Amino acid sequence: MSDKKSLGFDTLQIHAGAAPDPATGARQTPIYQTTAFVFKDAEHAARLFNLQEVGYIYSRLTNPTVSVLAERVATLEGGVGAVCCSSGHAAQIMALFPLMGPGCNVVASTRLYGGTVTQLSQSIKRFGWSAKFVDFDDLDAVAAAIDDNTRAVFCESIANPGGYITDLSAVAKVADKAGLPLIVDNTSATPYLCNPIKHGATLVVHSTTKYLTGNGTVTGGVVVDAGTFDWSASGKFPSLSEPEPAYHGLNFHEALGGMAFTFHSIAIGLRDLGMTMNPQGAFYTLLGIETLSLRMQKHVANAVEVANWLEKDPRVTKVTYAGLPSSPYHGRVSKICPRGAGALFTFGVKGGYDACVKLVDSLDLFSHVANLGDTRSLVIHSASTTHRQLSDEQRAAAGAYPDTVRLSIGIEDAKDLIADLDQALAKATA
Ligand SMILES: *Cc1c(COP(=O)(O)O)cnc(C)c1O
């Protein structure tokens, strides 16, 4: 893949990172189901361990199937490198790991996936890290939350579940001014709808469990590095910019330049945290990505049609989809995600909590699951499930109200989805 810059998204989603297998000529990327790789000789082994030569050692670190996926996602996101992980949540920890230390904090948006709010507000405290949550529409508040111990700014491009779009360029400016990397979770948008790096993001994280794989088969995550951040400028990122004792004193930024974060994440992050993606999982995700653009077009077209229908229905109290002109975030679609506002949104049902529960139980085609980004349409009552561990204020900030149901619109026929919602609304509001 010599001249990647001239190739379009649809070509890259099939070809980036992949070549016919050098050993067999296999056209599809093989599943290299092996733990270890034979060294040519002792000198070769030493060069690999010294990062003087790139190659395969042990599949906790790198694996050829997983490497194809890393390069494919890095290419689609416009980054220089990527590291695949065992889940989206693993990717978030892996993104923060090289940047943070005890006493450090991350400034995060209040509008995040429920599990991420819990991870950042509770579990990372065990590492001595912390998070400060602010409304990312209030740029002054974001700037004010940043202190000497802040090491990153974290948000989602399209935030799940509240139909919210972050003004990434504006937030990137704030992070940039403070000399901090912006980490963007691009799971709900995918690189087809949004490229956070173009808006100034340093790192992009994904739960590949969702649209990238696309059919609800495997759990995975990835961190993509833009390769543009100067890790040495502020002295705040010593693990990247100073001799790292955990890797025989290597200065990653000096030795590896724009690939410092990616190599650090593999050589130290995967080596010591072990949140590795397995080759089978990577293979399924590669298959999924081949059709990403086609699926996203249909996901978005269906979401627009269903959201429009719901908005006109008198049994429905509100629809929060940024693809609707009525959304306060509609104006950001053309700037942040010009191909569409994704396929996740919430709506309110007349009758509140009880009607929502009845609706969820009455749907046939929509599956009641804690997942999103499947070919199948999915429904969940966020307040009682994915956002259950949160406080009332955290739930309200995320848009997970008790009288609100979240839909992840699949790629079925829109008319069938509407018919299913119609009959369930009838039962829920009877
Ligand atoms: C699902 C999800 C995650 C977590 O990913 P897992 O693969 O389930 O660990 C993080 N962020 C967003 C936006 C998600 O939808």
Side-chain angles (χ1 to χ4, degrees), residues 101-119:
C104 294
N105 67 70
V106 51
V107 169
S109 170
T110 47
R111 298 181 184 90
L112 296 175
Y113 175 74
T116 305
V117 176
T118 311
Q119 185 189 54

Side-chain angles (χ1 to χ4, degrees), residues 354-407:
D354 294 338
C356 286
V357 170
K358 187 91 208 296
L359 176 104
V360 169
D361 285 343
S362 305
L363 285 162
D364 281 332
L365 260 184
F366 283 80
S367 307
H368 181 196
V369 300
N371 192 18
L372 60 95
D374 196 323
T375 48
R376 277 153 282 270
S377 289
L378 313 174
V379 62
I380 197 151
H381 183 227
S382 300
S384 63
T385 55
T386 53
H387 288 64
R388 192 183 188 92
Q389 320 297 337
L390 276 54
S391 67
D392 288 345
E393 299 85 72
Q394 287 174 322
R395 269 196 291 271
Y401 298 100
D403 63 342
T404 300
V405 171
R406 185 192 79 195
L407 300 180

Side-chain angles (χ1 to χ4, degrees), residues 87-90 92 113 116 156 160 185 187-188 207-210 219-221 372:
S87 70
H89 269 1
Q92 291 167 192
Y113 175 74
T116 305
E156 295 179 10
N160 153 28
D185 181 341
T187 300
S188 306
S207 166
T208 59
T209 316
K210 314 292 170 52
T219 305
L372 60 95

Side-chain angles (χ1 to χ4, degrees), residues 182-208:
L182 172 64
I183 306 173
V184 177
D185 181 341
N186 200 31
T187 300
S188 306
T190 81
Y192 182 68
L193 300 181
C194 175
N195 290 122
I197 288 173
K198 282 197 191 133
H199 296 283
T202 305
L203 302 173
V204 179
V205 296
H206 279 281
S207 166
T208 59

